[in-house]
Amino acid sequence: MRQAAFDSRGSHIRWTEVPGAEPARVYLHGLGSMSAVYHAHIAARPELAGRRSLFVDLPGHGTSDRPEAFGYTLEEHADAVAVALDAAGATGAELIAHSMGGAVAIVLAHRRPDLVSRLVLTEANLDAFPPSTAASSGIAAHGEDEFVETEHARVLEAVGPLWAATMRLADPRALHRSAVGLRKGSDPVMRTLLEGLPVDRVFLQGERSGELAGRERLEAAGVRVRTVPGAGHNVMFDNPDAFAAAVAGTG
């Protein structure tokens, strides 16, 4: 495990690293998750072996610190990841990012283009104000103190044991502020940023999640959208073969 201080108070963002060839693959998780839990089984596959791999936990999540004074906006998450990549010397990396992590990756690629050469996004948040059915919207619908004091426990019960296993490791206040940051989105919004990025971009949409809104416009901008059969939001679990092929650039 490695770490780097990402704020003036010395709070640390942490990641687990596997050595290998460059460019590095950097894995980013979604809201209430951890990178290694969602991606280590993919990085270990034979078709992906031999590449340097970094499993980064966003601030407030997993093994990273959870400063109370931090805002947990998309921009702040992206800047913290940039600190980690600078410390790791991982320039021109491939970012493999899920859900909220995908939104963070898009903002990072916009703010620090030197760090990113490719994006593989899995059901990334592209728009502000996610639908009411999204977990982030349910969390952000409550006030921060209300969520921390009463709703956090209810959310853990509602999301099921697998997601709760990583969500319970996230700081409740960081979880709420991250959800609020997702609802606010970036400026310009993530979808607009993604359309204009001059890097290879792949977007994975689980078949069970329905058609991706604005797909034709994304494809016209050069984003390769792939609908993954038999998969829902967690494509890396539901169809790991297709996921690994997308990361490898063969699918």
Side-chain angles (χ1 to χ4, degrees), residues 2-4 15 17 22 24 52 54 82-91:
R2 298 186 61 187
Q3 64 180 20
W15 66 97
E17 183 168 336
E22 302 286 351
R52 185 184 183 194
L54 284 69
V83 168
L85 299 191
D86 282 337
T91 59

Side-chain angles (χ1 to χ4, degrees), residues 27-244:
Y27 295 86
L28 299 178
H29 60 82
L31 182 68
S33 300
M34 293 177 63
S35 285
V37 172
Y38 275 69
H39 295 114
H41 68 293
I42 296 296
R45 289 174 64 103
E47 62 267 43
L48 297 177
R51 285 283 289 279
R52 185 184 183 194
S53 300
L54 284 69
F55 304 96
V56 181
D57 288 341
L58 296 172
H61 291 71
T63 59
S64 290
D65 287 344
R66 46 210 67 205
E68 187 172 349
F70 196 65
Y72 299 95
T73 64
L74 291 175
E75 290 81 5
E76 287 171 307
H77 276 303
D79 289 347
V81 175
V83 168
L85 299 191
D86 282 337
T91 59
E94 298 182 7
L95 268 58
I96 297 90
H98 179 226
S99 198
M100 181 185 80
V104 172
I106 292 168
V107 174
L108 174 60
H110 172 69
R111 292 167 77 87
R112 288 291 306 276
D114 58 308
L115 295 178
V116 182
S117 63
R118 183 173 184 247
L119 291 173
V120 180
L121 307 172
T122 305
E123 298 221 348
N125 295 75
L126 298 180
D127 304 301
F129 298 101
S132 58
T133 54
S136 56
S137 293
I139 292 172
H142 301 280
E144 184 173 307
D145 290 339
E146 177 192 9
F147 177 78
V148 171
E149 294 168 7
T150 63
E151 295 301 320
H152 179 244
R154 297 179 186 177
V155 169
L156 290 180
E157 292 181 359
V159 298
L162 295 182
W163 195 4
T166 58
M167 188 179 287
R168 69 190 180 195
L169 301 178
D171 179 77
R173 205 167 294 278
L175 191 64
H176 183 271
R177 291 181 187 174
S178 295
V180 170
L182 268 179
R183 183 172 64 176
K184 179 182 178 182
S186 61
D187 183 19
V189 75
M190 298 83 76
R191 183 182 296 271
T192 300
L193 294 180
L194 178 61
E195 290 172 349
L197 289 173
V199 298
D200 182 38
R201 296 150 295 164
V202 179
F203 193 104
L204 303 181
Q205 177 79 356
E207 180 184 40
R208 297 202 302 265
S209 298
E211 186 63 31
L212 175 64
R215 175 172 184 156
E216 292 184 358
R217 179 174 167 179
L218 287 172
E219 290 179 330
V223 181
R224 290 181 287 133
V225 180
R226 301 287 183 265
T227 300
V228 182
H233 187 60
N234 296 324
V235 176
M236 68 292 294
F237 295 145
D238 297 336
N239 193 334
D241 290 341
F243 189 90

